[in-house]
Amino acid sequence: LLVTGVSEDKDVEGVLSGLLPCASSVVCTRAYHKGTAAEMVAEFCERQKPGIVWRSDDRIEDAIDAALERAQADGMTVFVAGGLFLAIEARSHLEGIDPRTLQFF
């Protein structure tokens, strides 16, 4: 189960075209810092692999929580990839840190 999002200044197609073949299902989301809207990421995913998007959520916390719940229920592995900010914010959420409070320099 891929949880993905890409920074708005990156090549969404280029990043996701390498990730989608590795996933059976996708949760699209966005990082608070420079993230492309989740719906735009979902549209690209659906164009490349119709039916792959399970969920789209602009709040990374909701996306991660839903992915973990589904993975546990369905015996899946969660893979978070697509953008550096996304990965850092996801990890922060899992550690109980509000990703909106992170500062990048």
Side-chain angles (χ1 to χ4, degrees):
L1 176 57
L2 173 64
V3 177
T4 194
V6 180
S7 292
E8 61 191 6
D9 60 345
K10 301 298 180 206
D11 176 14
V12 174
E13 183 175 350
V15 171
L16 295 178
S17 63
L19 294 173
L20 292 180
C22 301
S24 60
S25 192
V26 175
V27 176
C28 299
T29 191
R30 72 182 301 166
Y32 287 106
H33 301 84
K34 299 185 182 184
T36 298
E39 196 55 43
M40 290 179 67
V41 174
E43 288 172 11
F44 170 78
C45 292
E46 283 296 315
R47 281 195 308 272
Q48 292 300 308
K49 199 169 178 182
I52 195 165
V53 175
W54 171 65
R55 182 182 174 121
S56 179
D57 201 317
D58 272 330
R59 283 184 31 90
I60 192 168
E61 301 94 336
D62 295 339
I64 294 294
D65 293 345
L68 291 173
E69 184 177 318
R70 179 173 180 202
Q72 184 175 30
D74 295 346
M76 302 171 89
T77 299
V78 176
F79 177 49
V80 179
L84 182 59
F85 291 122
L86 179 86
I88 293 168
E89 290 182 16
R91 172 81 184 241
S92 296
H93 171 63
L94 292 170
E95 293 175 346
I97 299 167
D98 183 346
R100 293 171 294 183
T101 65
L102 298 175
Q103 295 182 2
F104 299 95
F105 300 98

